Coordinates of all heavy atoms in Angstrom, one line a residue:
E202 N 0.3 -25.0 -23.8 CA 0.4 -24.0 -24.8 C -0.3 -22.7 -24.2 O -1.1 -22.8 -23.2 CB -0.5 -24.4 -26.0 CG 0.0 -25.5 -26.8 CD 1.3 -25.1 -27.5 OE1 1.4 -23.9 -27.9 OE2 2.2 -26.0 -27.6
P203 N 0.0 -21.5 -24.8 CA -0.6 -20.3 -24.2 C -2.1 -20.3 -24.4 O -2.6 -21.0 -25.3 CB 0.1 -19.2 -25.1 CG 1.3 -19.8 -25.7 CD 1.0 -21.3 -25.8
T204 N -2.8 -19.7 -23.5 CA -4.2 -19.5 -23.6 C -4.6 -18.3 -24.6 O -4.1 -17.2 -24.4 CB -4.9 -19.2 -22.3 OG1 -4.5 -20.2 -21.3 CG2 -6.4 -19.0 -22.3
P205 N -5.4 -18.5 -25.6 CA -5.7 -17.5 -26.5 C -6.5 -16.4 -25.7 O -7.1 -16.6 -24.8 CB -6.7 -18.2 -27.6 CG -6.4 -19.6 -27.4 CD -6.0 -19.8 -26.1
A206 N -6.3 -15.1 -26.3 CA -7.0 -14.0 -25.6 C -8.5 -14.1 -25.7 O -9.0 -14.6 -26.7 CB -6.5 -12.7 -26.4
R207 N -9.1 -13.8 -24.6 CA -10.6 -13.9 -24.5 C -11.3 -12.9 -25.4 O -12.4 -13.1 -25.9 CB -11.1 -13.7 -23.1 CG -10.9 -14.9 -22.2 CD -11.8 -14.8 -20.9 NE -11.6 -13.5 -20.2 CZ -12.6 -12.6 -20.2 NH1 -13.7 -12.8 -20.7 NH2 -12.3 -11.5 -19.5
K208 N -10.7 -11.7 -25.6 CA -11.3 -10.6 -26.3 C -10.4 -10.2 -27.6 O -9.2 -10.4 -27.4 CB -11.5 -9.4 -25.4 CG -12.5 -9.7 -24.3 CD -12.7 -8.4 -23.5 CE -13.7 -8.7 -22.3 NZ -13.8 -7.4 -21.4
A209 N -11.1 -9.7 -28.6 CA -10.3 -9.3 -29.7 C -9.4 -8.2 -29.3 O -9.7 -7.3 -28.6 CB -11.3 -8.7 -30.8
G210 N -8.1 -8.3 -29.8 CA -7.2 -7.3 -29.6 C -6.4 -7.5 -28.2 O -5.4 -6.8 -28.0
G211 N -6.8 -8.6 -27.5 CA -6.1 -8.9 -26.3 C -4.9 -9.8 -26.6 O -4.7 -10.2 -27.7
K212 N -4.1 -10.0 -25.5 CA -2.9 -10.8 -25.7 C -3.1 -12.2 -25.0 O -3.9 -12.3 -24.1 CB -1.7 -10.1 -24.9 CG -1.3 -8.7 -25.5 CD -0.1 -8.2 -24.7 CE 0.3 -6.9 -25.3 NZ 1.4 -6.3 -24.5
P213 N -2.5 -13.2 -25.7 CA -2.6 -14.5 -25.1 C -1.9 -14.6 -23.8 O -1.0 -13.8 -23.5 CB -2.0 -15.4 -26.2 CG -1.0 -14.5 -26.9 CD -1.7 -13.2 -26.9
Y214 N -2.3 -15.5 -23.0 CA -1.7 -15.7 -21.6 C -0.7 -16.8 -21.8 O -1.0 -18.0 -22.2 CB -2.8 -16.1 -20.6 CG -2.1 -16.2 -19.2 CD1 -2.1 -15.1 -18.4 CD2 -1.6 -17.4 -18.7 CE1 -1.5 -15.1 -17.1 CE2 -1.0 -17.4 -17.5 CZ -1.0 -16.3 -16.6 OH -0.4 -16.4 -15.4
I215 N 0.6 -16.4 -21.6 CA 1.7 -17.4 -21.8 C 2.1 -18.0 -20.4 O 2.5 -17.2 -19.5 CB 2.9 -16.7 -22.4 CG1 2.6 -16.1 -23.8 CG2 4.1 -17.7 -22.5 CD1 3.7 -15.3 -24.4
W216 N 1.8 -19.2 -20.3 CA 2.0 -19.8 -19.0 C 3.6 -20.0 -18.7 O 4.0 -19.7 -17.6 CB 1.5 -21.3 -19.0 CG 0.0 -21.2 -19.1 CD1 -0.8 -21.3 -20.2 CD2 -0.9 -21.1 -18.0 NE1 -2.2 -21.3 -19.9 CE2 -2.2 -21.1 -18.5 CE3 -0.8 -21.0 -16.6 CZ2 -3.3 -21.0 -17.7 CZ3 -1.9 -20.8 -15.8 CH2 -3.2 -20.9 -16.4
F217 N 4.3 -20.4 -19.6 CA 5.8 -20.5 -19.4 C 6.5 -20.0 -20.7 O 6.5 -20.6 -21.7 CB 6.2 -22.0 -19.2 CG 5.5 -22.7 -18.1 CD1 4.4 -23.5 -18.3 CD2 5.9 -22.5 -16.7 CE1 3.7 -24.1 -17.3 CE2 5.2 -23.0 -15.8 CZ 4.1 -23.9 -15.9
N218 N 7.1 -18.9 -20.5 CA 7.8 -18.2 -21.6 C 9.1 -18.9 -21.9 O 10.0 -18.9 -21.0 CB 7.9 -16.7 -21.4 CG 8.3 -16.0 -22.7 OD1 8.8 -16.5 -23.6 ND2 7.9 -14.7 -22.7
R219 N 9.4 -19.4 -23.1 CA 10.7 -20.0 -23.3 C 11.8 -19.0 -23.4 O 13.0 -19.3 -23.3 CB 10.6 -20.8 -24.6 CG 9.6 -22.0 -24.6 CD 9.7 -22.8 -25.8 NE 10.8 -23.8 -25.8 CZ 10.7 -25.0 -25.3 NH1 9.6 -25.6 -24.9 NH2 11.7 -25.8 -25.4
E220 N 11.4 -17.7 -23.6 CA 12.4 -16.6 -23.6 C 12.6 -16.2 -22.2 O 11.8 -15.7 -21.5 CB 12.0 -15.5 -24.4 CG 11.7 -15.8 -26.0 CD 13.0 -16.2 -26.7 OE1 14.1 -15.6 -26.3 OE2 13.0 -17.0 -27.6
I221 N 13.9 -16.5 -21.6 CA 14.2 -16.1 -20.2 C 14.8 -14.7 -20.2 O 15.8 -14.4 -20.9 CB 15.2 -17.1 -19.7 CG1 14.6 -18.5 -19.8 CG2 15.4 -16.7 -18.2 CD1 13.3 -18.7 -19.0
S222 N 14.2 -13.8 -19.4 CA 14.7 -12.4 -19.3 C 15.2 -12.1 -17.9 O 15.7 -11.0 -17.7 CB 13.6 -11.5 -19.7 OG 12.5 -11.6 -18.8
Y223 N 15.1 -13.1 -16.9 CA 15.6 -12.8 -15.6 C 15.7 -14.1 -14.8 O 14.9 -15.1 -15.1 CB 14.8 -11.8 -14.8 CG 13.4 -12.2 -14.6 CD1 13.0 -12.8 -13.4 CD2 12.4 -11.9 -15.5 CE1 11.7 -13.3 -13.2 CE2 11.1 -12.3 -15.2 CZ 10.7 -12.9 -14.0 OH 9.4 -13.3 -13.8
D224 N 16.6 -14.2 -13.9 CA 16.9 -15.3 -13.0 C 15.6 -15.4 -12.1 O 15.2 -14.4 -11.5 CB 18.1 -15.1 -12.2 CG 18.3 -16.3 -11.2 OD1 18.9 -17.2 -11.5 OD2 17.9 -16.0 -10.0
G225 N 15.1 -16.6 -12.0 CA 13.8 -16.8 -11.2 C 12.6 -16.8 -12.0 O 11.5 -17.1 -11.3
Q226 N 12.6 -16.6 -13.3 CA 11.3 -16.8 -14.1 C 10.8 -18.1 -14.1 O 11.5 -19.1 -14.0 CB 11.7 -16.3 -15.5 CG 10.6 -16.2 -16.5 CD 11.0 -15.8 -17.8 OE1 11.8 -14.8 -17.9 NE2 10.6 -16.5 -18.9
D227 N 9.5 -18.3 -14.1 CA 8.8 -19.5 -14.1 C 9.1 -20.3 -15.3 O 9.1 -19.8 -16.4 CB 7.2 -19.4 -14.0 CG 6.7 -18.8 -12.8 OD1 7.6 -18.6 -11.8 OD2 5.5 -18.5 -12.7
V228 N 9.6 -21.7 -15.1 CA 9.8 -22.5 -16.3 C 9.0 -23.8 -16.2 O 8.9 -24.5 -17.2 CB 11.3 -22.8 -16.4 CG1 12.1 -21.6 -16.8 CG2 11.8 -23.5 -15.1
A229 N 8.5 -24.2 -15.0 CA 7.7 -25.4 -14.9 C 6.9 -25.4 -13.6 O 7.1 -24.5 -12.7 CB 8.6 -26.7 -14.9
F230 N 5.9 -26.3 -13.5 CA 5.1 -26.4 -12.3 C 4.8 -27.9 -12.1 O 4.4 -28.6 -13.0 CB 3.8 -25.6 -12.6 CG 2.8 -25.6 -11.4 CD1 3.3 -25.0 -10.2 CD2 1.5 -26.2 -11.5 CE1 2.3 -24.9 -9.1 CE2 0.7 -26.0 -10.4 CZ 1.1 -25.4 -9.2
V231 N 5.0 -28.3 -10.8 CA 4.9 -29.7 -10.4 C 3.8 -29.8 -9.3 O 3.7 -29.0 -8.4 CB 6.2 -30.2 -9.8 CG1 6.0 -31.7 -9.4 CG2 7.3 -30.1 -10.9
V232 N 2.9 -30.8 -9.5 CA 1.8 -31.0 -8.5 C 2.0 -32.5 -7.9 O 2.2 -33.4 -8.7 CB 0.4 -30.8 -9.0 CG1 -0.6 -31.0 -8.0 CG2 0.3 -29.4 -9.7
A233 N 1.9 -32.5 -6.6 CA 2.0 -33.9 -6.0 C 1.1 -34.0 -4.8 O 0.5 -33.0 -4.3 CB 3.5 -34.1 -5.6
T234 N 1.1 -35.2 -4.2 CA 0.1 -35.4 -3.1 C 0.5 -34.8 -1.8 O -0.3 -34.6 -0.9 CB 0.0 -36.9 -2.8 OG1 1.3 -37.5 -2.7 CG2 -0.7 -37.6 -4.1
T235 N 1.8 -34.4 -1.6 CA 2.3 -33.6 -0.5 C 3.2 -32.5 -0.9 O 3.8 -32.5 -2.0 CB 3.1 -34.5 0.5 OG1 4.4 -34.9 -0.1 CG2 2.3 -35.8 0.9
Q236 N 3.3 -31.5 -0.1 CA 4.2 -30.4 -0.4 C 5.7 -30.8 -0.6 O 6.5 -30.4 -1.4 CB 4.1 -29.3 0.6 CG 4.8 -28.0 0.2 CD 4.1 -27.4 -1.0 OE1 3.0 -26.8 -0.9 NE2 4.9 -27.3 -2.1
Q237 N 6.1 -31.8 0.3 CA 7.5 -32.2 0.3 C 7.7 -33.0 -1.0 O 8.8 -32.8 -1.6 CB 7.7 -33.2 1.5 CG 7.6 -32.5 2.8 CD 6.3 -32.3 3.4 OE1 5.3 -32.6 2.8 NE2 6.1 -31.5 4.5

Side-chain angles (χ1 to χ4, degrees):
E202 295 294 324
T204 301
R207 280 196 310 113
K208 297 180 180 179
K212 296 181 179 180
Y214 186 89
I215 300 175
W216 293 94
F217 304 100
N218 196 335
R219 296 185 82 94
E220 299 294 331
I221 302 299
S222 61
Y223 62 92
D224 175 85
Q226 184 176 315
D227 295 351
V228 292
F230 184 62
V231 179
V232 183
T234 53
T235 70
Q236 189 67 68
Q237 291 80 4

